[in-house]
Amino acid sequence: MDLLPDSAPLATKLRNTLIQYHGIADSEWRVAKKTKDATVWRKPSEEFSGYLYKAQGVVEDVTNRIVDHIRPGPYRLDWDSLMTSMDIMETFEENCCVMRYTTAGQLWNIIAPREFVDFSYTTSYEDGLLSCGISLDYGEVRPNFVRGFNHPCGWFCVPLKDYPNHSLLTGYIQTELRGMLPQSAVDTAMSSTLANFYSDLKKALKT
């Protein structure tokens, strides 16, 4: 089990990595799923043998409120159907924390419940916000869970220029679920999960 890293350099590195993903040319992405709420693309990850996913959609609300629903805090558990528990294990300065959370089984439990321990960082980006995270090897793995690992992930949320009450939400997700899983099942689950994330988030913001 590792010790907790120094939060400041980790936060800076994480932010820079996400901005690098945000600059990847459109031609490198392949559409994985399209719904009325979001489009999901993917490309091979440079971090591990799976995919880096990009999701994007317009959400009708102001940036701060959207990010408050996404980042670690009381809102997330209320609406995110995949997340079954969340504990903030450590809090640092500058909108940094370490959280442990669990996810429900997926695809008729072909994908069993997972546990993650993530370093999370929220910072300003252009006129909006970036909330990003990466998994840490920290804390004991609880029984009945497989410990998954999130390579650098994050959500950019910026107001639309002509419609300041609407925001463009762009996510980059690369989750290594671990355990013995067929890659095709993981890919199906990831695309659907990201599309559902947008529809669930929109419903939550309307309440």
Side-chain angles (χ1 to χ4, degrees):
M1 184 185 93
D2 291 353
L3 295 170
L4 281 176
D6 188 356
S7 62
L10 181 58
T12 302
K13 186 180 177 196
L14 188 56
R15 181 178 189 272
N16 291 342
T17 301
L18 264 298
I19 288 170
Q20 187 189 326
Y21 294 161
H22 210 33
I24 293 172
D26 290 348
S27 57
E28 290 195 42
W29 299 99
R30 296 284 171 268
V31 173
K33 193 173 181 75
K34 206 165 186 168
T35 68
K36 67 177 180 21
D37 295 307
T39 302
V40 180
W41 297 265
R42 71 182 191 193
K43 69 180 287 297
S45 169
E46 291 176 12
E47 302 280 345
F48 76 119
S49 60
Y51 288 102
L52 168 63
Y53 287 86
K54 173 183 177 179
Q56 191 171 67
V58 173
V59 180
E60 191 179 338
D61 215 318
V62 294
T63 299
N64 283 29
R65 189 157 180 263
I66 293 168
V67 172
D68 274 346
H69 277 69
I70 292 174
R71 65 179 171 188
Y75 291 117
R76 184 70 185 263
L77 266 181
D78 286 346
W79 66 268
D80 188 340
S81 55
L82 194 61
M83 199 176 273
T84 50
S85 74
M86 180 173 64
D87 305 299
I88 308 287
M89 298 170 79
E90 302 284 344
T91 305
F92 305 106
E93 299 299 308
E94 298 296 321
N95 292 324
C96 292
C97 71
V98 174
M99 65 166 176
R100 175 164 56 190
Y101 67 95
T102 55
T103 58
Q106 299 175 71
L107 292 177
W108 305 282
N109 249 25
I110 292 171
I111 300 175
R114 290 293 191 270
E115 174 187 75
F116 297 86
V117 173
D118 284 9
F119 172 81
S120 173
Y121 174 54
T122 302
T123 182
S124 57
Y125 173 79
E126 291 184 352
D127 296 332
L129 291 165
L130 163 62
S131 187
C132 47
I134 186 170
S135 286
L136 305 173
D137 287 316
Y138 179 72
E140 296 299 316
V141 180
R142 285 182 283 194
N144 306 323
F145 287 98
V146 176
R147 175 69 70 86
F149 192 92
N150 285 312
H151 296 277
C153 297
W155 295 92
F156 290 88
C157 191
V158 292
L160 291 185
K161 284 188 172 59
D162 299 333
Y163 303 95
N165 285 343
H166 290 66
S167 302
L168 183 66
L169 182 64
T170 309
Y172 296 91
I173 305 294
Q174 46 187 345
T175 300
E176 195 171 344
L177 290 171
R178 295 180 172 167
M180 303 299 287
L181 289 173
Q183 190 60 43
S184 58
V186 173
D187 297 338
T188 302
M190 288 298 297
S191 301
S192 298
T193 296
L194 283 167
N196 292 342
F197 183 91
Y198 279 80
S199 51
D200 289 350
L201 175 61
K202 287 182 175 186
K203 282 179 204 148
L205 289 164
K206 283 186 175 139
T207 53

